[in-house]
Amino acid sequence: MKTDRIGINSATLPGALHEKMDAVREAGFGALVLSAKDLLAHPEGAAAAARKVRASGVRVCAFQFLREMTGASDREVGYRIDAAKSMIELAASVGCRLLIVSSSTAPTAIADPEALARNLAVLGTLATPYGIRIGYEALAWGRWVSEYPDAWRVVQMANRHNVGLVIDSFQILMRQTSLDLLADIPADRIFLAQLSDCSFDFVTEIDEFVEISRHERRFPGEGVHGGLISDLVARLRGKGYAGDYTLEVFNDENLRADLPAVIARAQASVQWLADKVAAA
């Protein structure tokens, strides 16, 4: 696997933003995933943070994340549109060309896939002047969209060239969704592949999905779903996927550890994955 196509989520790493950028660049990772928090929490302000990101030479491959623009009222939807505009501007400020939109988990989320598709199309329109794409991700605990085939159907209905799909191994393993369904999705409609594992073989409760996702993910090769992750990557490669892979490992232990130690584990994970895919 080419390291210039492998990124890491900033929330995986401990330390200040400049420390993360330096560590990612020196370790040979090809990109970094940022969030609004990375910029807005910077002590010198978001604009200064954005300038430092651009000056660092680190490519920002994705920006997290926006919820679906759904709501129980026009006022709520209007608020979400304003939030979307701000997120798009933040992503553009660091030269990022992909904004991740996740399926809604709110009780007020709408169940109408056609309405969801229209909302994604609106996001695509808002993002077009900035040259930004919208990547739609199904969260395993999503209110109505919780698996990637459902997210793909919404993307298809949105019918926008800059609206595509984000595939996440963690969401797939939590829902035990078949990887065979990937065969129906064109490679160029997949905008990002996010990789992480966990130490639990089978989880049944939605609340547990959320807890593990936010606090107990593992690097690929450290959990019990290595076969699924390597199979996912092999299938994506086989179908001609040419986008980035990112390590999205939210784990409280990482944030208490030394940055070099976490980076070393990330590098070991990439090597493990490369060996697995090469042997497939």
Side-chain angles (χ1 to χ4, degrees), residues 7-257:
I8 188 165
N9 193 300
S10 69
T12 297
L13 304 173
L17 179 58
H18 71 276
E19 295 172 326
K20 297 178 185 184
M21 291 189 297
D22 289 345
V24 165
R25 184 179 56 250
E26 292 169 5
F29 284 96
L32 188 64
V33 178
L34 294 182
S35 69
K37 181 180 178 181
D38 287 311
L39 303 184
L40 297 176
H42 194 276
E44 298 176 30
R51 287 193 296 271
K52 291 183 177 182
V53 171
R54 296 184 78 117
S56 73
V58 174
R59 179 170 64 92
V60 181
C61 65
F63 202 82
Q64 288 188 313
F65 57 79
L66 188 68
R67 297 290 191 198
E68 288 171 350
M69 292 197 308
T70 63
S73 66
D74 290 343
R75 181 178 179 182
E76 185 175 353
V77 173
Y79 169 79
R80 293 186 183 278
I81 289 175
D82 288 341
K85 291 176 180 176
S86 295
M87 288 286 282
I88 290 169
E89 290 172 356
L90 283 173
S93 74
V94 293
C96 180
R97 294 293 177 257
L98 177 64
L99 175 62
I100 299 174
V101 178
S102 67
S103 59
S104 180
T105 62
T108 56
I110 57 177
D112 183 352
E114 292 184 358
L116 294 179
R118 288 194 297 271
N119 291 342
L120 283 183
V122 169
L123 285 176
T125 299
L126 293 174
T128 295
Y130 297 88
I132 289 176
R133 300 186 299 172
I134 302 297
Y136 188 45
E137 175 188 359
L139 297 183
W141 57 98
R143 183 74 173 87
W144 300 109
V145 177
S146 58
E147 299 187 69
Y148 75 86
D150 298 324
W152 169 235
R153 282 189 282 274
V154 176
V155 167
Q156 285 179 292
M157 286 187 286
N159 194 28
R160 288 295 305 256
H161 74 280
N162 67 334
V163 175
L165 190 66
V166 172
I167 296 291
D168 187 308
S169 66
F170 181 84
Q171 314 302 340
I172 292 171
L173 68 88
M174 284 290 102
R175 283 288 181 178
Q176 299 188 327
T177 311
S178 172
L179 293 180
D180 292 342
L181 302 173
L182 281 172
D184 298 328
I185 304 173
D188 64 354
R189 305 306 297 151
I190 300 173
F191 288 176
L192 184 67
Q194 300 177 146
L195 306 176
S196 61
D197 203 340
C198 76
S199 300
F200 301 90
D201 187 39
F202 183 60
V203 180
T204 58
E205 300 296 327
I206 295 294
D207 288 347
E208 291 180 313
F209 291 178
V210 179
E211 181 68 18
I212 295 169
S213 176
R214 293 175 178 172
H215 304 287
E216 299 182 55
R217 295 197 196 195
R218 302 290 176 185
F219 285 108
E222 292 184 344
V224 298
H225 299 277
L228 179 147
I229 294 170
S230 59
D231 187 18
L232 170 61
V233 173
R235 288 178 188 241
L236 289 173
R237 284 164 56 91
K239 68 193 284 98
Y241 172 67
D244 290 311
Y245 298 88
T246 61
L247 302 179
E248 183 166 301
V249 184
F250 307 140
N251 188 298
D252 294 345
E253 293 177 5
N254 288 350
L255 302 183
R256 293 191 294 266

